[in-house]
Amino acid sequence: MASVTSLSDSVQQHLSSAISAALPEAGSADPLLRRSDRADYQANGMLALAKKAGANPRELAAQVVSRVVTGDVIADVEVSGPGFLNVTVADGAIVRNLAARYADGTGRLGVPFAAQPGTTVIDYAQPNVAKEMHVGHLRSAVIGDAVVQLLEFTGETVVRRHHIGDWGTQFGMLIQYLDEHPHELDHGGARVSGEEAMSGLDRLYKAARRKFDSDEEFKTRARRRVVDLQAGDEHTLAIWQKFVDESKIYFFSVFEKLDMEIRDADIVGESGYNDMLAETCRLLEESGVAVRSEGALCVFFDDIKGPDGKPVPLIVQKSDGGYGYAATDLSAIRDRVFHLKANTLLYVVDARQSLHFRMVFETARRAGWLNDDVKAVQLAFGTVLGKDGKPFKTREGETVKLVDLLDEAIDRATAVVREKDTQGLLGEEEITERGTQVGIGAVKYADLSTSAARDYKFDLDQMVSLNGDTSVYLQYAYARIHSILRKAGEVRPAAHPELELHPAERALGLHVDAFAETVGEAAAEYAPHKLAAYLYQLASLFTTFYDKCPVIKPEPPRDVAENRLFLSDVTAKTLHRGMALLGIRTPERL
């Protein structure tokens, strides 16, 4: 089905035609339309147009009003203040527009695809091999997944990349230890859980670290292993692959708990660019973008200086010939631009790495790999804080394990679901399933309802609350609508454009209509928090509508009941689609 023209676009077209008739020299001027608490919409464009034409704003506004066609779309328009136009939309237009969205069999609710979709490579959810995921990994995964859903929904071709930490000096220690203790990760052919896999890796890592710190001969052998790994020694690579495979069992179990799809083909870690590093350095040095300084290959920037006032370089290759993160990141850019043909490179990475990426992107621009047609963007995110406003830690001061945090959220949410099921409608299996959906949704929503750039407080008590801006409130609103639809009996949802709407019906309908615009804006700006804010307001407006407009009891006239059930159902469909774009489930019963 084709996209549905929004009410704001229809109003804008009517006003633009009226402006052209009143002021032909203005052409197709933008009336600067926005939602308003003084009317359905307010147009502020008359002030700028009047100034340009040397006219009185109120007089020009009055001329425009006299040429506005009222009826099907616009019910009334009046001049306000210094020359604003206050526009009231026809009740029938609201219902007809929502009916068109409701009839969209694709499930898109009439949301259009982006005008010029391209290819975006998004780098997110970057755990480290042989290390447990902690609370710091949460934001990259959750924000990245929501942005993927938004971009794909608007028609962008999205290539997912999980740049896992699977290379470096620590692997010399781990590989050497496993080579000398080959049965440490041997499960005898049995399938293991993610928790078991990480437990084995953690145990091995600690044992290897103890031996590395206490045995000089082992330390020498471990360092030699790093050289063998980088040289591509077959036996060393085979042991290294064991660590990667074991870690993936764990990664996949965590991402499954987060209700996220992570595909093996999308995991391209630091090792994936190893063969490109030497060429990347050669290209940078030959082009003069990078220069040798005290034996290291560096890129300097006039505007980036250290505390001593001296320029801070980006070190691409160390003086001993080793490669750092910069070489890997620059090689990844080359691969994503020239092999994957990306128009946009999006990095969902902690704000504390902003300086590094600023230098990497500038280096790539100087090298010609990034230009006006290919851009790189860091979607920098803030820190997860505890209730005390400090970085989230355990009581012992250790980093919180992500699995522990998710399990606690699920336990809390399950208790809430069990408590709310006062009539015993849900079996134990359903309570567990709903508790998982509500708990994971609570964690995701708390993250996504905050602008990525800001820090946010991790407060499980608030997250699983039925009151306030929480996913539970939204999920409960969705489940409530399905309860209403079930209780309606033979009365089914049906649109009745001929009816006069209650103010609460109008407010809800106008907000539902803004879904397409909100999705487009959230996708274009990589801002899932804007969609989260929209959905919270949608649920709030539905609550007001349900309080003020009887749907089932006291029983309204049949056509009114059908229309209100229709408004309820289109709200539910919008909530369901919007929450899905945030990666959050909406159970029909809570």
Side-chain angles (χ1 to χ4, degrees):
M1 179 178 172
S3 60
V4 177
T5 301
S6 67
L7 286 170
S8 61
D9 283 347
S10 296
V11 171
Q12 180 139 328
Q13 289 165 12
H14 276 67
L15 293 183
S16 292
S17 297
I19 290 170
S20 295
L23 197 67
E25 61 269 30
S28 55
D30 186 351
L32 300 181
L33 194 70
R34 62 180 181 83
R35 288 298 307 277
S36 171
D37 56 3
R38 298 178 182 277
D40 294 336
Y41 295 98
Q42 188 173 81
N44 301 338
M46 302 309 106
L47 280 70
L49 286 170
K51 185 176 181 180
K52 192 173 180 181
N56 179 292
R58 279 190 65 88
E59 289 177 4
L60 176 60
Q63 291 177 43
V64 170
V65 167
S66 68
R67 288 168 170 79
V68 171
V69 177
T70 56
D72 284 349
V73 176
I74 296 177
D76 186 41
V77 56
E78 60 182 24
V79 180
S80 171
F84 301 141
L85 298 182
N86 284 346
V87 182
T88 302
V89 178
D91 288 351
I94 296 173
V95 177
R96 281 191 298 273
N97 189 276
L98 296 187
R101 297 190 183 284
Y102 189 72
D104 183 351
T106 66
R108 295 187 60 82
L109 299 171
V111 177
F113 290 104
Q116 293 180 305
T119 297
T120 294
V121 175
I122 177 167
D123 189 326
Y124 69 108
Q126 310 106 346
N128 294 310
V129 165
K131 288 186 179 179
E132 284 197 87
M133 293 175 69
H134 54 76
V135 69
H137 291 109
L138 179 66
R139 300 210 73 184
S140 178
V142 170
I143 295 168
D145 186 57
V147 172
V148 166
Q149 304 304 327
L150 283 163
L151 290 176
E152 288 185 335
F153 190 69
T154 53
E156 184 81 355
T157 298
V158 178
V159 180
R160 312 171 193 205
R161 279 292 176 265
H162 308 297
H163 192 91
I164 64 171
D166 64 351
W167 208 245
T169 54
Q170 68 160 335
F171 285 96
M173 176 186 80
L174 292 168
I175 291 167
Q176 186 61 36
Y177 188 85
L178 186 59
D179 200 23
E180 295 176 8
H181 303 80
H183 300 299
E184 286 287 330
L185 293 181
D186 188 358
H187 306 297
R191 293 189 65 178
V192 296
S193 67
E195 195 172 315
E196 289 169 328
M198 181 41 66
S199 177
L201 286 167
D202 189 53
R203 188 173 60 250
L204 187 143
Y205 182 88
K206 288 174 180 174
R209 170 56 68 183
R210 282 195 300 271
K211 193 164 181 64
F212 186 86
D213 291 340
S214 62
D215 187 334
E216 286 300 321
E217 290 185 4
F218 175 77
K219 186 180 288 187
T220 301
R221 295 195 300 275
R223 285 173 173 161
R224 201 177 299 132
R225 278 292 182 159
V226 178
V227 178
D228 293 341
L229 179 64
Q230 292 175 340
D233 175 69
E234 212 169 291
H235 177 63
T236 301
L237 281 173
I239 302 173
W240 167 82
Q241 190 64 50
K242 278 189 177 182
F243 282 106
V244 175
D245 292 342
E246 198 79 4
S247 297
K248 282 182 179 179
I249 295 171
Y250 165 69
F251 295 160
F252 287 133
S253 72
V254 178
F255 289 126
E256 185 178 4
K257 186 164 284 193
L258 267 171
D259 200 14
M260 282 174 49
E261 180 193 26
I262 299 289
R263 300 178 296 224
D264 194 56
D266 301 332
I267 299 176
V268 183
E270 294 167 355
S271 62
Y273 307 102
N274 197 47
D275 294 342
M276 299 175 67
L277 302 182
E279 186 181 15
T280 295
C281 290
R282 179 181 62 79
L283 291 170
L284 291 172
E285 190 168 13
E286 287 180 357
S287 64
V289 172
V291 296
R292 292 284 168 184
S293 176
E294 298 179 16
L297 186 63
C298 305
V299 183
F300 289 91
F301 309 87
D302 292 337
D303 58 339
I304 301 175
K305 295 181 171 63
D308 58 0
K310 293 181 179 178
V312 176
L314 180 71
I315 301 174
V316 184
Q317 188 177 24
K318 302 170 189 175
S319 56
D320 63 3
Y323 302 103
Y325 292 124
T328 305
D329 287 332
L330 287 163
S331 297
I333 287 176
R334 287 177 54 219
D335 178 68
R336 295 167 184 184
V337 171
F338 299 110
H339 174 60
L340 299 177
K341 308 296 183 187
N343 310 105
T344 303
L345 309 181
L346 183 60
Y347 294 78
V348 187
V349 182
D350 193 314
R352 288 171 292 190
Q353 296 187 46
S354 294
L355 178 60
H356 168 77
F357 279 100
R358 180 180 154 199
M359 296 164 85
V360 166
F361 295 163
E362 177 56 27
T363 298
R365 271 190 286 272
R366 291 180 187 180
W369 306 335
L370 298 175
N371 49 46
D372 291 343
D373 299 320
V374 184
K375 65 177 180 177
V377 179
Q378 182 194 0
L379 179 49
F381 56 81
T383 305
V384 180
L385 306 175
K387 290 183 184 179
D388 58 2
K390 297 177 181 177
F392 200 32
K393 302 279 186 182
T394 64
R395 288 179 182 174
E396 294 75 31
E398 296 176 3
T399 304
V400 179
K401 295 176 184 178
L402 183 53
V403 170
D404 292 347
L405 181 148
L406 297 178
D407 285 343
E408 187 179 353
I410 291 170
D411 289 345
R412 296 273 194 99
T414 302
V416 170
V417 172
R418 183 175 279 109
E419 184 185 329
K420 293 299 292 182
D421 184 32
T422 53
Q423 298 179 2
L425 298 175
L426 301 177
E428 192 57 36
E429 191 175 321
E430 283 182 298
I431 287 174
T432 301
E433 182 186 0
R434 300 291 187 277
T436 300
Q437 293 173 345
V438 171
I440 296 302
V443 171
K444 287 185 173 183
Y445 186 84
D447 194 317
L448 295 171
S449 59
T450 304
S451 169
R454 292 176 54 198
D455 299 341
Y456 81 97
K457 290 183 181 180
F458 194 93
D459 182 348
L460 273 177
D461 292 329
Q462 174 56 31
M463 288 180 187
V464 298
S465 171
L466 283 165
N467 302 310
D469 189 4
T470 67
S471 70
V472 192
Y473 177 69
L474 302 181
Q475 289 168 320
Y476 186 69
Y478 179 79
R480 188 184 197 183
I481 294 172
H482 275 275
S483 174
I484 293 166
L485 293 169
R486 286 192 296 269
K487 291 175 181 176
E490 62 177 25
V491 183
R492 305 313 304 150
H496 286 277
E498 73 281 2
L499 292 174
E500 183 178 336
L501 297 180
H502 184 281
E505 293 176 299
R506 291 179 54 81
L508 179 61
L510 285 165
H511 192 69
V512 170
D513 178 67
F515 179 62
E517 182 183 347
T518 304
V519 168
E521 190 177 312
E525 298 177 18
Y526 314 128
H529 70 281
K530 292 195 170 183
L531 177 57
Y534 167 89
L535 294 172
Y536 173 61
Q537 191 178 356
L538 178 63
S540 300
L541 287 169
F542 176 78
T543 299
T544 302
F545 153 77
Y546 188 66
D547 288 345
K548 295 183 179 300
C549 304
V551 179
I552 300 172
K553 292 181 180 179
E555 190 173 340
R558 179 74 176 234
D559 56 352
V560 173
E562 289 176 344
N563 200 57
R564 287 177 178 171
L565 284 171
F566 158 71
L567 284 172
S568 299
D569 202 12
V570 75
T571 298
K573 284 177 167 32
T574 306
L575 276 170
H576 176 74
R577 171 53 65 192
M579 292 288 268
L581 291 174
L582 297 179
I584 299 173
R585 303 272 179 178
T586 43
E588 293 185 6
R589 291 180 188 268
L590 272 183

